[in-house]
Amino acid sequence: FYRGTSEGMTNLAAAKRSSAATAQTNIAEQVKNTVRVEFSQAMEAGAYEETSGEYLKNSFFSSVDNLTVSGVRITSSFVQRVAETTSSGERIYYRAYTLASLDKEDYKKLVQRAFSDTSAQVSANKSAKEIAAETEKRFWEAEAKKAE
C-alpha cells in the first residue's frame, strides 16, 4: 500500500486526481526500487566475473526502469475541505489523500516481465545469460522464503 496526497488545490476534482496520480507514482517507484534491491541481493549471493555481472545488472535495471506498472488499485481516498482566514477574506482549498495497492500476483508478473526482457537483452552473451538464469532462480527462492 502506498499513499498519495494533494494539498492546497481549490478544485475538488483536481485535488482527487492529483492525490491518486501521486499514489500511483509512489507505488510504481517503490516497486521498481524494491525489485532492483532484491535483484542486487540475489546477484550478490553468487561470485561472478565482474564484467558480465555488471552488464547483467545494468540490463536488468534498464528493463525495470522501462516497465509500466499495471494492476495498481485505488483502495481508499479521503478529502478534507479547509477554510482558511486570510487578510483578504476566507480561502477554501482541499487536502486529498489516496491509498493505492498492488496485488502480489501483479508484482510477480512485473518481476517476471523484467527477467524476460533482461534475458532477451543478454541472450548473445553466454556468461550473462547463465548469470541471469541463476540470479532469477535465487530471486524467486528468496521470495518464496519471505512468504513462509
Side-chain angles (χ1 to χ4, degrees):
F1 291 90
Y2 297 89
R3 175 181 56 85
T5 59
S6 172
E7 169 103 25
M9 294 193 163
T10 57
N11 182 299
L12 175 62
K16 288 178 179 181
R17 282 192 309 272
S18 177
S19 72
T22 301
Q24 291 172 332
T25 300
N26 289 346
I27 201 167
E29 288 307 311
Q30 187 58 45
V31 165
K32 288 178 180 183
N33 187 52
T34 299
V35 171
R36 285 186 209 99
V37 168
E38 297 293 332
F39 177 84
S40 295
Q41 289 174 348
M43 270 199 72
E44 290 168 6
Y48 301 115
E49 187 268 319
E50 188 175 333
T51 303
S52 293
E54 197 62 31
Y55 169 63
L56 174 63
K57 191 174 186 178
N58 290 338
S59 296
F60 185 82
F61 283 13
S62 174
S63 292
V64 170
D65 288 342
N66 290 313
L67 287 175
T68 300
V69 176
S70 57
V72 175
R73 292 182 302 114
I74 302 300
T75 306
S76 62
S77 62
F78 172 76
V79 178
Q80 180 181 28
R81 183 178 182 269
V82 179
E84 183 179 88
T85 304
T86 66
S87 59
S88 59
E90 187 176 64
R91 176 178 175 252
I92 305 294
Y93 66 91
Y94 298 94
R95 288 184 186 133
Y97 305 90
T98 301
L99 188 63
S101 67
L102 181 70
D103 289 336
K104 188 71 170 176
E105 287 306 311
D106 289 319
Y107 170 77
K108 288 179 180 180
K109 288 176 188 174
L110 176 80
V111 173
Q112 189 58 53
R113 207 166 52 236
F115 275 113
S116 295
D117 291 352
T118 302
S119 293
Q121 284 183 44
V122 302
S123 63
N125 183 320
K126 185 179 180 198
S127 177
K129 188 175 178 179
E130 290 171 359
I131 297 168
E134 185 59 35
T135 302
E136 182 175 5
K137 179 182 171 190
R138 275 197 304 279
F139 181 95
W140 292 116
E141 286 171 353
E143 286 290 308
K145 285 181 183 177
K146 283 187 218 172
E148 293 175 353

